[in-house]
Amino acid sequence: MASEAPRPEDTKRVITEAYPSKAARKRAKQIVVNAPPDTEGFRPQILSNTRTTPGVITQRGCSYAGCKGVILGPVRDILTITHGPVGCGFYSWLTRRNQTRPPSEDAPNYMPYALMTDMQENDIVFGGEKKLRKAIREAYEIFRPKAIAIAATCPVGLIGDDIHAVARDMKEELGINVFAFSCEGYKGVSQSAGHHIANNGIFQHVVGTQDEPPEGRFRINLLGEYNIGGDAFEIERILERCGITLVSTFSGNASYDQFARAHMADLNAVMCHRSINYMAEMTEEKYGIPWIKVNFIGAEATAKSLRKIAQYFGVPELIDGVERVIAEEMPAVRAVIDEIRPRTGGKTAMLFVGGSRAHHYQELFREIGMRTVAAGYEFGHRDDYEGRKVLPFIKVDADSRNIEELDVEPDPEQYRPRKTADELEALRAQGLDFGEYEGLMADMEVGSLVIDDITHHETERLIELYRPDVFCAGIKEKYVIQKHGIPMKQLHNYDYHGPYAGFRGAIRFYREIDRMVNTRIWRHVTPPWAEKPQPEVLRQAS
Amino acid sequence: MLLRHTHKEIRDRSALTTNPAKTCQPVGALYAALGVHRCLPHSHGSQGCCAYHRSMLTRHTKEPVMAATSSFTEGASVFGGMANLTQAIENIFALYDPDVVAVHTTCLSEVIGDDIPQIVKSATDAGKIPEGKTVIHANTPSFVGSHITGFANMTKALVEYFAEPGTVPADRINVIPGFVEPADMAELKHLAAEMGVESLLFPDTSGVLDAPMTGRHEFYPEGGVRVEDLRTVGGSRATLALGAWASAPAAEALEKKAQVPFEVLDTPIGLLATDRFVDALRRVGKVEVTASVTRERGRLVDLLADMSQYFYGKKVALVGDPDPLIPLTEFCLTLDMKPVHVVTGTPGKRFEERVRGLLGEAGVEGNVAQASDMFHFHQLIKNEPVDLIIGNTYCKYIARDEGIPLVRHGFPVLDRVGHQFFPTVGYRGAMRLAEKILDAFLDRIDREPDEAAFELVL
Ligand code: SF4
Ligand code: SF4
């Protein structure tokens, strides 16, 4: 890091001044210097979930990527057919590093397959429904899945194919569950719209359709965990050790039956708030399952989350079990922290990624003594930054209005409040927050920079001004950062590494960051002669 | 089994593509545009396409891949993308100061029917394009062709926008390299230079997508064909278009516009296709083949002859893009291997004819398919197993399931490095390809269980 870090206000000015005035005004509202909360507990307001300015190079993807890639991607036994031209389906094929473990050699696993209608000019001109129907039949013949999902791409929405009607017909014809997602890339302003569309669809078409309760006394769902690089496997290991039954994960290492039985859980634990908070809300409304925010990124965070879950169930056996597991797992974690901290302490990081990761990973850096000087989300909304208390104040604009909001009511048969109002109140009094999320700003230092939908231009200026010791973002940013001689960690996809969740994941992450900030090659970016331009005189033989 | 649902029995499919062996036009157009110095590619559509294309090219090249997007939301899909593109142009020149903005369309803007030249014209009239800067465009609807078509369309756009009819006939030869790696483009320039032929390569991603690490990110690296050079391609003596799919359309356009004669050749992969390229340089460039090039050739032949026992009779399955697949098939035949399955995702009947012709001459029976996919390719392998697969990274699933060695070649290669830096065209490229194939076979022999047969020497 540069010896004198620039003042954040100056940074903000420097990075916005290159924009034409209209773009500059908008960007200024998306770049905030973090400040303490005001007397009512509100943080500085940030403009977010707003359109990306055309022409600025952005990190963002689209709604289809959020739906097919993020939410449906890790589900191994729902056969997803992309209805559209070849590209969208091709790019979402195996590129997110979602891992899965089917229970047996012959259990279904469609994740290595990319299915699509590969629409041709004729389908665009005359409509693609016929081809879609045929494709579904052909797919059914080959795979015999229990469910088929259809994901729409931009041109499909525009030519007006009724994919939902096709889904209904095919459901009838094949006798399996078939449903569709109108997740055309132009919907909303980022991937976030696609998460919403996908969750709504899964909620409507799958959740609550199977009623056998899984065995186990302490049953939870994990929401917003996608099993990148095996994260969910580590969380599953820990939960099992604690005696907690995982009914379903949305959607890491996921299966159709788990979704179908999700309403049989007694608590929803939410990891990535952005991608799935509405699923938690809807499950509570419809089935009576409360939700809490958890975080399994970082050893301390993991311990805290486990304690919260135990507190919720309030059974001594579980509370003791959790404490025992923490006590057993933590020494190994502390040993590595002690070893590594002298090499990482005082160093700085920047995180610009996703819709919760830019928050969660700060915890891991903190544990090894590193400070996050700037962070922001690729597709966050105000509540992800400022906390859910701003929800009533968020204005719904045209780009959000076209994402369906489901009207959810208590299910006449399946609604079962898990706790009485009094019990919930008592737990709240003990400090267990339900349905709460404080947002990223609450955890960041005062004076740090919070930037929404960062642009390439801003990234480069930030790098030049701060020269952080490590930068976290996605694949599109990776090599730009590294050309500057700064190590870059992909946090969407972990660079073929991981898992980073839970206790063992934390250890793996500490070691990885230790490696990254100390890798020798960065010291050799500048050639030796660049610093001594004068030719040296060779010693003469005497 | 990773691909456990792929069965031997081949059923007719006419609507469902499974595991495609091609992708969409814009990624090819983007790649071609990066081969112009100080050019910023721009995707006209929703930002998701651009994000996907940049990600894929970044993963393939392990390099920064810059491109802007019109970031359509629903409004633009209804009212058209004019406002978005106009605003994008303004922001791009203010922030990134390119000499050229190369706009390609996406499915969405194609379906809407946005008229790019008209939008650019009104941006020009409104003074939004700085003096001396150019905005060019190519239509790249992905419901036609593949990424190769997109590469061809953008390359053709370079000719249409920049080439001027030549007044002074120069000695120079244009070379259109096709959708090959930066290292391949450098190798083509090397061969021409070695022969003493003055060549102009376009597009040329060498120097752009293999930029050095210096401690500073150069937004526009040194490489790429210069705009001032592109303006003069109409004065060249001739054009050699390498690859009928990726390069012929630009060469045809140049002939039409500036009467530059052209020859379409195969991508110079392997001994014979390189021979034809070198011979074309000789004939068209009116030079003799230099001793140094003949030496390069001789080294290749030496290696192949020495090692022929390992290649002889081996069955190979190949999948990829039509331009490289044709000479790759031919190269396998040169090595006495048997290409028994040759599959491309890109449509084109001529592909089948060419490959069948090659197989027929060599007396090899094989399956050839165009506009097909990797599911079909895998089924073919299940029905007739092979000793080697040559294809992109996605083949690794098939290779693992079937226990067949894989040599990675083509686009995309996501899980190995080297393809950016080491060519597979030309004689030196053929040596590398042969080495990789040989390594695959020899590693297999070395893993055989019989300890008595484990030996030190070749
Ligand atoms: S919408 Fe079209 S251009 Fe965009 S990724 Fe999909 S196929 Fe490619
Ligand atoms: S934080 Fe990253 S993985 Fe989560 S939804 Fe969010 S992007 Fe995706």
Side-chain angles (χ1 to χ4, degrees):
Chain A
M1 185 182 161
S3 50
E4 268 307 297
R7 292 190 335 127
E9 291 77 11
D10 294 341
T11 307
K12 183 171 167 174
R13 187 177 39 72
V14 170
I15 65 182
T16 49
E17 68 194 1
Y19 289 101
S21 55
K22 196 171 143 212
R25 274 198 302 279
K26 186 170 170 205
R27 288 307 301 158
K29 291 188 206 146
Q30 291 179 271
I31 304 174
V32 164
V33 180
N34 199 21
D38 65 15
T39 47
E40 280 156 63
F42 287 99
R43 302 267 162 188
Q45 186 173 327
I46 188 165
L47 180 67
S48 57
N49 191 35
T50 185
R51 295 177 182 185
T52 301
T53 307
V56 309
I57 298 177
T58 168
Q59 295 187 320
R60 277 182 174 169
C62 67
S63 170
Y64 167 83
C67 176
K68 159 69 170 62
V70 175
I71 308 290
L72 289 165
V75 191
R76 64 173 167 265
D77 59 356
I78 295 178
L79 191 72
T80 306
I81 300 177
T82 298
H83 185 36
V86 63
C88 320
F90 181 89
Y91 303 115
S92 59
W93 178 22
L94 291 168
T95 45
R96 268 183 57 85
R97 291 199 68 225
N98 304 114
Q99 300 187 359
T100 199
R101 273 191 194 131
S104 69
E105 267 291 302
D106 45 11
N109 178 15
Y110 310 129
M111 279 163 59
Y113 291 90
L115 294 100
M116 63 204 67
T117 49
D118 185 8
M119 291 172 94
Q120 298 298 300
E121 205 153 16
N122 257 333
D123 310 314
I124 297 285
V125 177
F126 300 108
E129 287 176 25
K130 223 170 102 203
K131 191 171 196 188
L132 176 61
R133 274 171 217 272
K134 195 141 193 280
I136 293 172
R137 280 186 204 112
E138 290 174 357
Y140 181 75
E141 280 306 310
I142 296 168
F143 296 94
R144 303 271 164 185
K146 61 175 91 171
I148 294 180
I150 303 158
T153 63
C154 289
V156 167
L158 209 66
I159 64 173
D161 277 359
D162 189 346
I163 55 172
H164 303 282
V166 172
R168 275 193 302 276
D169 293 353
M170 297 313 289
K171 184 174 180 173
E172 185 135 314
E173 180 183 321
L174 302 174
I176 59 165
N177 200 354
V178 184
F179 40 90
F181 298 93
S182 291
C183 56
E184 294 86 349
Y186 56 73
K187 291 257 175 83
V189 300
S190 69
Q191 292 93 311
S192 174
H195 304 153
H196 203 150
I197 291 162
N199 284 316
N200 283 353
I202 300 274
F203 188 78
Q204 281 175 295
H205 296 287
V206 188
V207 173
T209 55
Q210 293 180 18
D211 276 337
E212 318 86 88
E215 281 175 30
R217 276 172 73 193
F218 312 112
R219 297 193 293 241
I220 70 164
N221 296 317
L222 189 59
L223 307 189
E225 159 50 50
Y226 302 102
N227 204 21
I228 307 294
D231 276 349
F233 298 149
E234 165 68 359
I235 301 173
E236 285 165 15
R237 180 188 74 83
I238 296 170
L239 293 178
E240 199 183 308
R241 284 204 67 196
C242 294
I244 298 165
T245 302
L246 193 57
V247 181
S248 67
T249 302
F250 286 74
S251 36
N253 190 27
S255 75
Y256 180 84
D257 291 345
Q258 287 166 7
F259 288 169
R261 282 198 280 266
H263 65 303
M264 304 307 288
D266 293 317
L267 176 69
N268 276 339
V270 175
M271 284 271 287
C272 176
H273 174 260
R274 177 67 268 136
S275 59
I276 203 157
N277 67 77
Y278 20 76
M279 176 71 92
E281 297 277 299
M282 293 188 298
T283 334
E284 180 158 20
E285 289 274 332
K286 188 166 177 181
Y287 302 108
I289 308 174
W291 69 271
I292 56 170
K293 175 78 178 72
V294 295
N295 175 19
F296 288 102
I297 304 297
E300 289 296 341
T302 300
K304 199 167 142 198
S305 299
L306 291 173
R307 288 190 173 114
K308 274 174 144 180
I309 295 169
Q311 192 184 3
Y312 169 80
F313 287 103
V315 176
E317 181 192 329
L318 177 63
I319 295 171
D320 294 347
V322 160
E323 289 306 329
R324 198 179 53 245
V325 170
I326 295 171
E328 283 170 14
E329 301 267 349
M330 271 307 211
V333 175
R334 292 219 180 85
V336 178
I337 292 183
D338 290 344
E339 181 204 325
I340 281 171
R341 237 184 126 104
R343 294 190 293 264
T344 51
K347 294 203 185 309
T348 57
M350 289 185 178
L351 295 83
F352 290 95
V353 57
S356 273
R357 285 174 196 254
H359 180 185
H360 291 159
Y361 276 79
Q362 297 189 28
E363 184 88 19
L364 275 171
F365 282 115
R366 217 169 337 220
E367 288 172 350
I368 48 173
M370 289 178 65
R371 288 173 50 232
T372 301
V373 289
Y377 295 139
E378 188 176 348
F379 47 75
H381 299 201
R382 272 185 66 195
D383 43 319
D384 302 300
Y385 291 102
E386 301 169 51
R388 287 178 71 88
K389 73 189 303 176
V390 300
L391 279 176
F393 307 102
I394 296 180
K395 283 204 283 297
V396 179
D397 60 15
D399 293 319
S400 304
R401 211 165 290 129
N402 62 21
I403 320 287
E404 191 188 13
E405 285 284 347
L406 300 184
D407 254 334
V408 180
E409 286 175 0
D411 188 283
E413 272 137 49
Q414 293 168 313
Y415 181 80
R416 183 169 55 84
R418 302 316 202 258
K419 300 266 177 196
T420 64
D422 288 348
E423 284 169 334
L424 287 176
E425 211 33 65
L427 284 167
R428 273 201 193 94
Q430 288 171 29
L432 186 63
D433 282 334
F434 290 97
E436 269 306 328
Y437 175 48
E438 287 237 306
L440 165 142
M441 283 171 168
D443 271 347
M444 285 190 71
E445 279 179 27
V446 167
S448 53
L449 277 166
V450 181
I451 305 179
D452 180 64
D453 184 20
I454 194 170
T455 69
H456 171 82
H457 160 76
E458 293 160 11
T459 306
E460 293 235 34
R461 294 293 88 76
L462 271 186
I463 293 287
E464 287 158 5
L465 290 167
Y466 287 77
R467 298 212 54 93
D469 295 292
V470 66
F471 194 99
C472 303
I475 184 67
K476 300 190 294 298
E477 295 77 42
K478 184 174 177 76
Y479 300 101
V480 173
I481 306 298
Q482 295 196 162
K483 285 277 194 271
H484 282 285
I486 289 171
M488 145 77 208
K489 182 80 201 161
Q490 288 189 69
L491 278 194
H492 293 283
N493 131 332
Y494 301 169
D495 304 283
Y496 216 42
H497 203 246
Y500 295 145
F503 301 109
R504 292 183 185 168
I507 291 174
R508 197 174 282 110
F509 191 79
Y510 306 150
R511 293 210 179 281
E512 173 69 350
I513 296 302
D514 178 31
R515 174 193 72 76
M516 289 184 82
V517 299
N518 290 303
T519 290
R520 285 195 167 73
I521 192 65
W522 302 114
R523 298 174 213 165
H524 306 302
V525 171
T526 310
W529 49 86
E531 270 131 35
K532 18 183 157 121
Q534 294 300 325
E536 284 171 38
V537 180
L538 295 179
R539 195 162 0 130
Q540 306 278 316
S542 50
Chain B
M1 293 294 263
L2 290 157
L3 298 169
R4 58 184 72 172
H5 304 281
T6 307
H7 298 299
K8 245 177 133 164
E9 186 207 338
I10 301 181
R11 288 205 184 92
D12 230 17
R13 278 180 293 133
S14 62
L16 182 75
T17 292
T18 305
N19 296 1
K22 64 167 180 184
T23 183
C24 67
Q25 285 211 39
V27 82
L30 206 168
Y31 183 68
L34 287 170
V36 177
H37 185 58
R38 293 189 62 82
C39 172
L40 185 67
H42 180 87
S43 164
H44 186 54
S46 314
Q47 70 218 11
C49 308
C50 188
Y52 273 143
H53 303 144
R54 289 180 61 211
S55 295
M56 193 48 82
L57 281 170
T58 303
R59 290 194 176 105
H60 176 77
T61 61
K62 312 264 182 279
E63 284 292 314
V65 172
M66 290 301 154
T69 154
S70 297
S71 289
F72 277 26
T73 52
E74 201 156 37
S77 320
V78 178
F79 301 115
M82 175 152 181
N84 291 55
L85 184 53
T86 311
Q87 199 191 346
I89 287 172
E90 197 178 344
N91 285 323
I92 286 171
F93 283 114
L95 286 175
Y96 307 114
D97 186 36
D99 288 349
V100 183
V101 176
V103 180
H104 58 260
T105 54
T106 62
C107 296
L108 180 57
S109 54
E110 280 294 324
V111 174
I112 297 170
D114 275 347
D115 182 346
I116 310 293
Q118 197 265 321
I119 299 173
V120 172
K121 187 176 175 301
S122 69
T124 313
D125 294 345
K128 294 199 188 295
I129 300 173
E131 198 72 35
K133 310 273 178 172
T134 320
V135 179
I136 68 170
H137 97 288
N139 288 94
T140 48
S142 298
F143 34 85
V144 178
S146 74
H147 55 295
I148 297 304
T149 322
F151 183 95
N153 284 339
M154 184 53 81
T155 306
K156 187 169 146 211
L158 297 182
V159 167
E160 281 166 349
Y161 275 92
F162 294 116
E164 290 155 12
T167 42
V168 193
D171 280 345
R172 199 181 52 190
I173 310 285
N174 301 322
V175 178
I176 308 179
F179 197 141
V180 293
E181 306 286 346
D184 295 325
M185 303 208 189
E187 185 68 13
L188 296 172
K189 289 193 284 190
H190 155 79
L191 274 176
E194 206 59 35
M195 300 260 298
V197 173
E198 194 194 328
S199 71
L200 182 78
L201 200 79
F202 72 92
D204 180 4
T205 57
S206 66
V208 181
L209 288 166
D210 56 0
M213 185 177 284
T214 59
R216 235 193 92 78
H217 169 235
E218 298 294 337
F219 196 89
Y220 301 109
E222 264 310 295
V225 62
R226 313 255 151 180
V227 170
E228 60 266 30
D229 288 333
L230 277 174
R231 293 197 198 282
T232 67
V233 293
S236 296
R237 176 186 296 164
T239 303
L240 298 181
L242 308 184
W245 274 261
S247 303
E252 284 160 16
L254 186 59
E255 188 195 45
K256 221 165 164 192
K257 198 169 177 189
Q259 292 77 51
V260 182
F262 69 92
E263 257 183 55
V264 180
L265 299 167
D266 292 320
T267 311
I269 293 175
L271 178 68
L272 303 184
T274 304
D275 281 350
R276 292 193 292 274
F277 175 60
V278 167
D279 197 50
L281 284 172
R282 177 183 70 92
R283 283 184 286 105
V284 181
K286 301 190 179 17
V287 293
E288 291 300 318
V289 178
T290 56
S292 64
V293 171
T294 307
R295 262 199 308 275
E296 281 184 23
R297 183 184 193 278
R299 284 188 202 107
L300 169 66
V301 176
D302 187 56
L303 182 150
L304 301 183
D306 290 350
M307 295 298 136
S308 71
Q309 76 178 89
Y310 299 101
F311 298 119
Y312 193 88
K314 293 283 195 301
K315 286 185 180 176
V316 197
L318 303 109
V319 63
D321 299 332
D323 291 330
L325 267 190
I326 291 167
L328 268 173
T329 304
E330 185 187 51
F331 188 41
C332 290
L333 291 167
T334 309
L335 299 175
D336 299 307
M337 300 202 297
K338 292 181 178 162
V340 291
H341 314 300
V342 189
V343 169
T344 186
T346 297
K349 290 248 155 42
R350 282 167 305 152
F351 174 80
E352 289 187 24
E353 287 160 22
R354 268 305 298 283
V355 177
R356 274 190 218 293
L358 289 167
L359 296 183
E361 275 165 40
V364 173
E365 295 246 353
N367 299 297
V368 187
Q370 48 89 28
S372 184
D373 58 24
M374 288 221 201
F375 187 84
H376 179 66
F377 179 66
H378 189 178
Q379 288 184 309
L380 293 174
I381 293 173
K382 280 199 178 285
N383 282 289
E384 185 178 357
V386 293
D387 301 296
L388 178 74
I389 297 171
I390 301 180
N392 69 23
T393 286
Y394 284 96
C395 294
K396 76 193 268 182
Y397 288 77
I398 304 174
R400 178 173 156 133
D401 274 1
E402 307 297 336
I404 300 169
L406 165 67
V407 168
R408 287 164 179 78
H409 190 273
F411 178 79
V413 173
L414 308 172
D415 62 337
R416 291 293 186 275
V417 294
H419 52 279
Q420 321 93 306
F421 302 124
F422 309 116
T424 58
V425 303
Y427 299 121
R428 301 194 299 196
M431 284 178 93
R432 176 156 186 268
L433 257 180
E435 180 210 10
K436 290 185 79 113
I437 295 171
L438 200 57
D439 279 353
F441 290 146
L442 294 178
D443 283 345
R444 166 143 290 206
I445 293 172
D446 283 344
R447 275 203 313 273
E448 252 153 44
D450 180 4
E451 289 191 0
F454 190 77
E455 292 175 87
L456 182 70
V457 290
L458 265 181

